[in-house]
Amino acid sequence: MLDKLKEIEKSALESLAAITDQAALDAWRVANVGRSSPLMQVFAGFGKLSKEEKPVVGAEANRVKVALESALAERAEAVKNAALAKSLEEEKLDVTLPGRSVNVGRLHPSTQQLRRVLDILAEMGFQVYTSREVETDDINFQMLNFPLDHPARDMQDTFFIEAGDRGDNPILMRTHTSPGQIHAMREYAATNPQDPPPIRIALPGMCFRYEQITARSEIQFNQVEGLAVGKNITFADLKGTLTDFVRRMFGQDARVRFRASYFPFTEPSAEMDVECFVCGGKGCQVCKNSGWLEILGCGMVHPNVLQNGGYDPNIYSGFAWGMGPERQLMLRNKINDIRYFWGNDVRFLEQF
Ligand code: DAH
């Protein structure tokens, strides 16, 4: 019996050594350690053995069983590794191939320009003050010296929001960032009504107008409003501040000029032009041969507006301006159609 066990072990190990794939391994397991394998037959016939044989054969049969099982496990591991090595060999990976590029998002050109403007203004001491996009008629117009039926309202065709009959004070989408002046002045003044603190703020944000959409006009656009209020602020401060801003934005050699203009909420009012940076002032299509590009409206805050904000116009004065980041980008990059900004065409957007 012991010889038979030796024979079983020898032949099983020999056949195992020749195995190279999983299917053959499975078949080997059934044939050599399975229920009807020769080894298991030895266990089955155990009862017929003599008392003396039992412990000797039993010990040897167990040893063979353990030996075969551990040889199987070892072989299985080797077969698995060989298969892995083979697949690595067959599916060679070229790590020098360039990777697939991932499309990285970026800031919208308007946001980029808005940030440039605000960065420069921050360097000049202007703090950002954000104001609401949905306004009431009184703040958007009346407090800024546009009485009801004032013809200047025609410059800013308005989106009204249906909110029941609110009489002379309907709700609307702000047509400009100027109403933020009223909110800001009132908030600052409330901190010390007897002697309100000076103000130096930039008010950025989206504005909305009920316009026919064309290459030159959109129903939405950004503005950056500026407001400085204090004692003894003069038109010279306005000119100095805006000239400095333009030089920081468009270059130290940029030349500017101020032209008299009209806005209900400033007196006197002006528009500022910068020398055309496309043709250097010689005259071209972009500046319509004038050599100058208009970039903002500005003026000294009207006494009524100061009053409405809680600042006594006999003590305080101030200047304000409003400019458009999209317009600046259009001029700078010769973009001839404002509709590109909100058209969501990546071919346009990815150029910035
Ligand atoms: N709110 C004006 C507009 O949208 C722009 C403007 C002009 C703002 C003069 C000002 C200013 O603060 O002083 O057309």
Side-chain angles (χ1 to χ4, degrees):
M1 191 53 88
L2 291 180
D3 287 345
K4 188 173 172 201
L5 280 170
K6 284 254 155 18
E7 183 51 39
I8 287 173
E9 183 182 12
K10 185 164 169 262
S11 86
L13 291 178
E14 267 170 24
S15 63
L16 183 63
I19 285 176
T20 55
D21 65 82
Q22 187 60 44
L25 265 185
D26 292 339
W28 185 93
R29 182 200 314 274
V30 174
N32 294 281
V33 290
R35 210 172 279 220
S36 44
S37 61
L39 177 61
M40 288 306 161
Q41 294 303 318
V42 173
F43 282 102
F46 212 55
K48 292 179 201 137
L49 295 179
S50 69
K51 218 173 167 196
E52 293 72 35
E53 277 179 310
K54 270 185 189 165
V56 186
V57 173
E60 179 63 2
N62 269 326
R63 188 195 61 74
V64 172
K65 185 170 176 254
V66 170
L68 292 189
E69 276 169 354
S70 77
L72 172 65
E74 208 173 283
R75 192 70 205 155
E77 185 67 20
V79 166
K80 200 175 101 197
N81 288 339
L84 200 63
K86 187 158 166 254
S87 81
L88 281 179
E89 179 66 26
E90 280 166 1
E91 303 157 26
K92 258 194 192 141
L93 178 68
D94 182 354
V95 292
T96 65
L97 277 177
R100 283 185 204 107
S101 63
V102 178
N103 278 332
V104 179
R106 67 191 80 195
L107 292 176
H108 189 280
S110 293
T111 307
Q112 292 180 26
Q113 182 66 10
L114 206 51
R115 290 191 180 181
R116 270 180 222 124
V117 170
L118 294 176
D119 281 351
I120 291 174
L121 291 173
E123 284 170 14
M124 295 171 64
F126 285 81
Q127 215 174 342
V128 170
Y129 184 98
T130 46
S131 179
R132 61 195 69 166
E133 291 180 348
V134 180
E135 271 297 355
T136 48
D137 187 284
D138 56 353
I139 307 278
N140 192 82
F141 288 125
Q142 298 169 41
M143 298 290 154
L144 293 172
N145 233 4
F146 292 81
L148 297 162
D149 304 324
H150 191 284
R153 288 184 177 223
D154 287 352
M155 296 193 295
Q156 304 189 2
D157 287 327
T158 310
F159 282 114
F160 290 95
I161 289 175
E162 282 183 35
D165 183 8
R166 293 176 45 90
D168 289 340
N169 197 21
I171 295 177
L172 44 83
M173 302 301 287
R174 69 173 169 199
T175 57
H176 51 169
T177 43
S178 306
Q181 291 188 26
I182 299 293
H183 290 298
M185 281 192 279
R186 287 181 173 179
E187 192 178 323
Y188 276 75
T191 63
N192 187 1
Q194 300 318 315
D195 186 20
I199 300 178
R200 195 156 53 178
I201 52 173
L203 305 101
M206 197 67 91
C207 304
F208 307 85
R209 291 193 192 170
Y210 186 39
E211 302 263 12
Q212 177 87 34
I213 299 177
T214 66
R216 296 173 63 89
S217 62
E218 250 290 6
I219 58 171
Q220 63 175 76
F221 52 88
N222 282 290
Q223 280 190 345
V224 179
E225 187 94 5
L227 175 68
V229 178
K231 293 170 184 163
N232 303 318
I233 289 185
T234 68
F235 202 88
D237 296 316
L238 178 159
K239 287 181 83 171
T241 302
L242 290 177
T243 304
D244 188 24
F245 171 82
V246 162
R247 293 198 175 135
R248 289 172 190 246
M249 176 60 83
F250 297 106
Q252 283 305 310
D253 300 330
R255 296 207 302 153
V256 297
R257 74 176 184 188
F258 288 82
R259 281 177 294 104
S261 183
Y262 172 76
F263 301 100
F265 39 91
T266 43
E267 181 59 35
S269 303
E271 280 175 321
M272 189 171 90
D273 297 341
V274 53
E275 194 171 41
C276 180
F277 31 69
V278 175
C279 62
K282 287 193 206 74
C284 69
Q285 265 183 330
V286 176
C287 62
K288 299 199 204 74
N289 283 319
S290 70
W292 296 93
L293 300 167
E294 183 228 311
I295 61 156
L296 57 83
C298 57
M300 299 306 290
V301 181
H302 194 286
N304 293 353
V305 176
L306 286 170
Q307 190 82 60
N308 291 335
Y311 282 75
D312 181 348
N314 296 313
I315 303 172
Y316 295 90
S317 56
F319 66 83
W321 78 82
M323 62 192 166
E326 282 90 28
R327 184 171 162 75
Q328 291 169 358
L329 271 184
M330 289 177 77
L331 295 173
R332 176 133 248 187
N333 298 303
K334 298 186 213 167
I335 299 165
N336 56 14
D337 195 325
I338 196 171
R339 289 170 294 193
Y340 285 126
F341 284 98
W342 318 117
N344 277 341
D345 186 336
V346 284
R347 290 171 302 177
F348 171 72
L349 298 174
E350 69 191 3
Q351 294 178 54
F352 295 88

